[in-house]
Amino acid sequence: MNLQLLKYVIRYIERHAFKNTFLFIVLTLITWLLASIFFITNSMKYELSLGVDALPDIVLQNTKGGMRSTVDERVSEHILEIPGVKSVKGRVWGYYYFDAESLYLSLVGVDIFEPQERDSLVRLVNENEVPVNSMFVGEGVKALLARNYYSDYFNFIKSDGTKKRINIAGTFTSAISLESNEMMVMPKNELRDIFGYTEHEATDIAIDVANKTETPMLALKLQQEFPNMRVVVKDDVKVFYENIFNYKNGLFLALFTIVLFTFFVIVYDKLSAISSADKREIGILKAIGWRVEDILKAKLYEALLISFNAFLLGLVLALAFVYFFDAPIIQDIFIGYTTLKPSFELIFVLDIDTLFLLFVLIVPVYTLATLIPAWRIAIVDADEVIR
Amino acid sequence: MIELINVTKSFDAQQVLKELSLRFDEGELIVIKGKSGSGKSTLLSLIAGLAKPTSGEIIVDGKHISKLPEHFCSSYRRDNIGMIFQKYNLIETLSVKENILLPLVPLNLSEELLEKRVAEQMHTFNISHKADELIKYLSGGEQQRTAIARAHIADPKIILADEPTANLDEVLSKNFIEMLEKMKSKNKTIIVATHDPLFFELDFVDRIIDFDS
């Protein structure tokens, strides 16, 4: 490293402080915005993958008049006799509109004798009892209820209009923030009471398959067995979620394109225009014995000092914006799959490939945009440049 | 030793130098006189390797300058040539000291050595008191002394001065001539392109070449 050259470059940046500060701020903002987009989409993808992994292999839903209806969970015994089926259970779950906050909460019924499909529920059932007339809520839900003066219990309005008091037995955590921020877990029968279900009524039937490659075959068999029901395979749900995600990702792609376009306009401007003062300075440097390599090395230092520092600052700002402040404004695009959700926290996911892509998009492109015009001037006879 | 053999230089359709042959010996002080456009500055540019001749040969200490690739031309210039331009060609937003140091920047010398050399040059050319002043705030004479110090700092064997007194009054021109004498005493080969009559009667000038004739 030539320290004298570095000193000259720092003085050059100082001497053109307005232009360089402007470029530094623009590059920082571009990096911040692009990095924020990448961080949010990566976290969402990760969260989505966690959610999809927790899904049962096959879900059996009843329909009435084309609308989803409840199912009698006693069909489980019949399904369990089909070869290849590993486990079957009737699930009781749904949404509850919480008027005070104008949002939907997810209600999930559990039976401690049944296998649980979500890690958070497995932990909950293993570590706690879920007593009658009680529920466990996600930490986000707990805070939400407390804000509305429900610290020990909550009064649900049942389907017949009467109220049902359920005590809050405790909270649970989940790696999936949307899960922990919206879910209330209680014994199945309490939930049946709230929803107005009869004793064996369930929302749907969840089926796990022993050999995953046989899932399509088993789905076909179930469809033949229960022609009135809708058989939903995990992969179909995955595609559905991904479509929603991709739609939202599309919005970000549009934003990404605009930001990138802005960046390339700046790069183009830098490539096509070099000031007469800069041309003269390059000519003088050549005339006093600087080689083309010396000039390019100085320009390389200059471009790296500006772009790399802007890249680092943009990255730090993006990390703080996304993971510390939970991406205000931008997060609205992502909140909720289909309904309003109480709160939103992004899981920290460090994807080296993404960082590398961002680095390549910003630092080398900007560096080349600085080097190329300088090189074009530097290879001309110094005599011509000075004249 | 500098030797030009049948050197021709054209800019587009205009021929500035035509089959010029000259020889300058080591330690000589030569004044090239002539009107504007007679090719004096072009001759200096060719010797400095800032431009290439259209035809002919330029040989400096046995090296064919006109045939050197750009990379070697810059190195040759850095090691052998000190240029003093008519308009000084200083970087206005840098200080006196920073301008003088510029030729040494690519060499990555130690801070102490650079300080020592720049202090010597500033002292020799009487500009130490303006060391940290930006060029744009200097008078013409101060700018010229800075340009001379810059041309001298790498201790080149050849000093080329293009119309060095064109922007100076008589007193400052005489100061410059004193500095020229100092450089000559250090056995530098000095070529001055000028139409200032002040140079034509100096007793330490070895030769005057008239481009008008």
Side-chain angles (χ1 to χ4, degrees):
Chain A
M1 165 81 71
N2 184 337
L3 291 178
Q4 298 305 326
L5 199 60
L6 190 63
K7 269 172 76 177
Y8 163 79
V9 169
I10 291 168
R11 279 288 287 129
Y12 177 86
I13 293 171
E14 270 175 30
R15 287 187 287 131
H16 300 82
F18 180 78
K19 180 187 89 175
N20 288 316
T21 308
F22 173 75
L23 285 170
F24 182 80
I25 291 170
V26 170
L27 280 183
T28 304
L29 286 177
I30 286 170
T31 310
W32 163 71
L33 205 52
L34 290 179
S36 296
I37 292 169
F38 281 136
F39 288 152
I40 293 170
T41 51
N42 280 345
S43 293
M44 288 300 298
K45 268 184 192 167
Y46 178 69
E47 180 130 357
L48 181 72
S49 72
L50 286 180
V52 169
D53 288 347
L55 292 172
D57 296 327
I58 299 172
V59 173
L60 213 54
Q61 295 170 342
N62 204 1
T63 55
K64 262 184 193 167
M67 305 293 281
R68 266 183 69 177
S69 174
T70 53
V71 60
D72 188 333
E73 70 173 349
R74 281 172 293 193
V75 296
S76 302
E77 283 166 28
H78 175 59
I79 295 169
L80 208 50
E81 286 169 9
I82 300 173
V85 172
K86 188 176 153 195
S87 68
V88 184
K89 73 166 185 176
R91 297 192 305 181
V92 180
W93 63 277
Y95 299 110
Y96 185 85
Y97 185 66
F98 186 33
D99 210 9
E101 296 271 342
S102 303
L103 51 84
Y104 284 93
L105 297 167
S106 298
L107 271 52
V108 176
V110 287
D111 183 333
I112 53 165
F113 299 110
E114 288 176 342
Q116 309 301 327
E117 64 229 29
R118 293 169 188 262
D119 287 347
S120 53
L121 295 185
V122 172
R123 272 202 313 277
L124 177 69
V125 170
N126 286 346
E127 292 167 11
N128 306 279
E129 276 185 42
V130 189
V132 176
N133 254 347
S134 299
M135 64 176 171
F136 279 82
V137 297
E139 281 171 339
V141 181
K142 171 84 177 167
L144 182 88
L145 294 178
R147 219 167 40 230
N148 290 279
Y149 309 106
Y150 288 109
S151 46
D152 303 322
Y153 67 94
F154 183 71
N155 278 328
F156 286 96
I157 298 170
K158 301 194 323 190
S159 62
D160 61 4
T162 58
K163 287 182 181 169
K164 183 176 177 69
R165 177 182 163 138
I166 301 280
N167 297 320
I168 300 170
T171 58
F172 68 91
T173 54
S174 168
I176 306 168
S177 68
L178 287 173
E179 207 172 80
S180 63
N181 283 319
E182 72 177 61
M183 232 161 74
M184 295 169 127
V185 181
M186 63 186 79
K188 266 184 177 177
N189 286 335
E190 302 300 346
L191 200 50
R192 281 195 175 103
D193 192 22
I194 292 168
F195 287 165
Y197 288 4
T198 56
E199 195 189 343
H200 296 293
E201 215 174 338
T203 311
D204 52 28
I205 304 287
I207 302 159
D208 266 329
V209 179
N211 181 354
K212 306 296 175 196
T213 57
E214 285 187 7
T215 306
M217 287 291 293
L218 210 59
L220 202 64
K221 204 175 274 181
L222 284 164
Q223 192 66 81
Q224 286 165 351
E225 201 79 28
F226 303 97
N228 59 322
M229 292 206 194
R230 194 171 152 227
V231 181
V232 182
V233 181
K234 187 177 185 172
D235 284 347
D236 295 341
V237 184
K238 202 171 173 177
V239 168
F240 171 72
Y241 278 145
E242 277 174 355
N243 281 343
I244 294 170
F245 179 77
N246 286 340
Y247 155 71
K248 285 169 177 171
N249 213 11
L251 295 176
F252 271 73
L253 189 66
L255 190 63
F256 174 83
T257 311
I258 293 165
V259 173
L260 213 59
F261 179 74
T262 312
F263 175 64
F264 282 109
V265 167
I266 293 167
V267 164
Y268 175 78
D269 185 57
K270 235 179 127 43
L271 270 173
S272 53
I274 186 159
S275 72
S276 56
D278 277 347
K279 274 184 195 168
R280 187 173 168 271
E281 185 157 331
I282 291 172
I284 292 171
L285 295 176
K286 275 195 77 184
I288 60 172
W290 284 40
R291 292 171 305 177
V292 175
E293 298 97 285
D294 299 325
I295 291 162
L296 292 185
K297 206 189 272 183
K299 287 288 162 190
L300 179 71
Y301 286 1
E302 176 203 327
L304 286 179
L305 272 177
I306 293 174
S307 61
F308 193 68
N309 284 317
F311 173 77
L312 285 182
L313 182 63
L315 215 56
V316 170
L317 289 176
L319 282 169
F321 175 73
V322 174
Y323 296 119
F324 189 73
F325 294 108
D326 285 327
I329 303 168
I330 294 178
Q331 62 147 283
D332 293 343
I333 300 171
F334 276 121
I335 290 177
Y337 295 119
T338 52
T339 55
L340 297 169
K341 297 291 169 185
S343 74
F344 182 78
E345 282 167 26
L346 288 158
I347 305 167
F348 178 70
V349 180
L350 185 69
D351 181 8
I352 299 295
D353 291 348
T354 304
L355 290 184
F356 181 71
L357 174 69
L358 201 59
F359 177 83
V360 169
L361 274 176
I362 302 288
V363 179
V365 173
Y366 180 83
T367 304
L368 279 178
T370 307
L371 286 181
I372 291 169
W375 172 76
R376 285 207 311 239
I377 302 297
I379 55 168
V380 177
D381 278 347
D383 186 50
E384 200 178 311
V385 179
I386 297 169
R387 274 170 198 264
Chain B
M1 188 192 73
I2 304 164
E3 198 173 2
L4 286 86
I5 306 165
N6 293 327
V7 170
T8 298
K9 177 69 182 174
S10 304
F11 293 104
D12 299 323
Q14 195 190 355
Q15 201 170 52
V16 182
L17 296 175
K18 190 181 175 189
E19 293 181 2
L20 179 73
S21 293
L22 283 172
R23 183 193 159 102
F24 308 100
D25 289 321
E26 197 178 325
E28 259 194 317
L29 170 58
I30 300 108
V31 172
I32 313 278
K33 72 179 220 181
K35 288 183 288 210
S36 292
S38 60
K40 305 188 297 292
S41 300
T42 303
L43 172 71
L44 298 190
S45 286
L46 291 172
I47 294 172
L50 289 172
K52 298 252 185 265
T54 311
S55 64
E57 290 275 342
I58 301 168
I59 304 160
V60 179
D61 287 340
K63 280 184 195 146
H64 290 254
I65 302 309
S66 43
K67 287 179 182 167
L68 281 180
E70 176 52 39
H71 174 87
F72 292 102
C73 259
S74 297
S75 301
Y76 151 78
R77 208 156 39 239
R78 189 180 61 203
D79 299 337
N80 298 282
I81 306 287
M83 280 284 287
I84 302 164
F85 301 91
Q86 182 177 351
K87 288 177 184 163
Y88 316 129
N89 277 333
L90 297 165
I91 296 172
E92 291 200 338
T93 45
L94 286 178
S95 70
V96 166
K97 189 172 151 186
E98 288 166 334
N99 264 285
I100 296 172
L101 275 174
L102 273 180
L104 302 182
V105 166
L107 302 178
N108 199 21
L109 302 174
S110 71
E111 195 72 33
E112 298 77 40
L113 185 61
L114 288 177
E115 284 295 328
K116 189 174 161 244
R117 283 174 78 167
V118 77
E120 272 171 19
Q121 294 307 316
M122 287 194 296
H123 176 74
T124 307
F125 298 104
N126 193 25
I127 193 76
S128 306
H129 58 295
K130 298 277 182 180
D132 297 317
E133 198 88 50
L134 293 184
I135 295 299
K136 57 185 173 186
Y137 301 125
L138 300 186
S139 68
E142 288 164 341
Q143 286 191 28
Q144 196 193 46
R145 293 208 293 278
T146 309
I148 298 167
R150 184 185 66 184
H152 210 252
I153 194 164
D155 195 23
K157 285 185 272 186
I158 303 161
I159 302 276
L160 304 173
D162 188 11
E163 301 284 6
T165 55
N167 298 307
L168 301 179
D169 61 26
E170 204 181 325
V171 178
L172 291 174
S173 297
K174 281 181 178 162
N175 283 345
F176 174 75
I177 287 165
E178 280 170 24
M179 284 182 257
L180 207 60
E181 198 172 3
K182 269 188 198 173
M183 290 190 274
K184 159 106 170 134
S185 67
K186 290 179 181 169
N187 201 36
K188 308 277 181 202
T189 305
I190 304 167
I191 305 173
V192 182
T194 184
H195 53 249
D196 187 344
L198 209 59
F199 288 86
F200 307 149
E201 289 159 13
L202 298 173
D203 54 4
F204 59 90
V205 169
D206 297 302
R207 264 193 296 160
I208 296 172
I209 300 169
D210 189 352
F211 265 34
D212 292 336
S213 59

